[in-house]
Amino acid sequence: GVLSSEQLGQLEQELSPFADSYGQRDVLLKCPGLRPLLATSTDFFEIIQPYASAPLTCVKHVYFDNPPTSNWPVYSHQDIVISVAAPRPAATNYQGWRTKHGRTSCVAPAAVLDQMLITRIHLDNTDAHNGALTVWPGTQRQGVLKPSEVQAATQLTAPRVISASRGSVLL
């Protein structure tokens, strides 16, 4: 209940060009009206601010719509790829460099990922059957894992489904 019905309606209006799309990367660039909408949401920033130890910079912004008619599986994974400004940092602990659609990205080292705050805004109600986030508590403390290690880690602890209602913000 962080975002009001009015705010959600405004967000949905800005996202309307993607009504027939299952997802879009770089959504803040493609929908320039989103940033001011979020910037003027006092409740949104009051929730985020206590977790920010430095000025916030958005490094990845993705819109997902997983409709029931096309419910694809999302396999267990870590969100470890970040978008970066070129040129590449000299540090060798950044790996997996690629440029796609004019954007440069890489796998960030655990020390960088530990400083990140992932924010998920829910435009719909979610549950175990409708796009809720599933996490394996404690696995984030294991650092950056290979895909096979991710699968092994998910066998060691019970998953937690984080259901959310429309207008909720998950950090």
Side-chain angles (χ1 to χ4, degrees):
V2 173
L3 299 175
S4 69
S5 293
E6 180 183 341
Q7 289 169 314
L8 288 165
Q10 291 171 334
L11 288 174
E12 289 168 335
Q13 180 64 34
E14 286 295 322
L15 293 165
S16 65
F18 308 127
D20 295 328
S21 173
Y22 297 143
Q24 289 288 323
R25 296 183 191 283
D26 300 322
V27 71
L28 291 176
L29 299 175
K30 295 174 182 175
C31 294
L34 285 176
R35 194 178 295 268
L37 282 175
L38 293 172
T40 58
S41 174
T42 304
D43 293 338
F44 181 72
F45 278 100
E46 283 179 359
I47 288 174
I48 293 174
Q49 196 56 46
Y51 297 95
S53 58
L56 298 174
T57 301
C58 187
V59 296
K60 193 173 188 179
H61 27 100
V62 181
Y63 165 76
F64 288 111
D65 185 6
N66 192 357
T69 56
S70 296
N71 199 14
W72 69 86
V74 177
Y75 300 100
S76 302
H77 68 282
Q78 292 179 306
D79 285 323
I80 57 175
V81 175
I82 62 169
S83 295
V84 296
R88 299 175 180 181
T92 58
N93 53 353
Y94 288 80
Q95 301 174 358
W97 289 95
R98 66 180 177 204
T99 300
K100 189 174 183 180
H101 305 293
R103 302 278 286 166
T104 302
S105 62
C106 64
V107 175
V112 171
L113 295 171
D114 286 345
Q115 297 176 46
M116 297 191 132
L117 175 65
I118 297 171
T119 306
R120 182 175 164 150
I121 300 170
H122 289 267
L123 301 177
D124 295 314
N125 295 325
T126 63
D127 59 26
H129 307 288
N130 181 27
L133 183 66
T134 301
V135 298
W136 281 263
T139 57
Q140 77 279 7
R141 292 187 201 98
Q142 296 176 24
V144 177
L145 305 176
K146 296 175 186 170
S148 61
E149 294 171 325
V150 169
Q151 297 310 314
T154 63
Q155 303 303 312
L156 299 177
T157 183
R160 179 170 176 213
V161 176
I162 303 175
S163 298
S165 60
R166 176 175 159 81
S168 295
V169 175
L170 175 64
L171 304 178

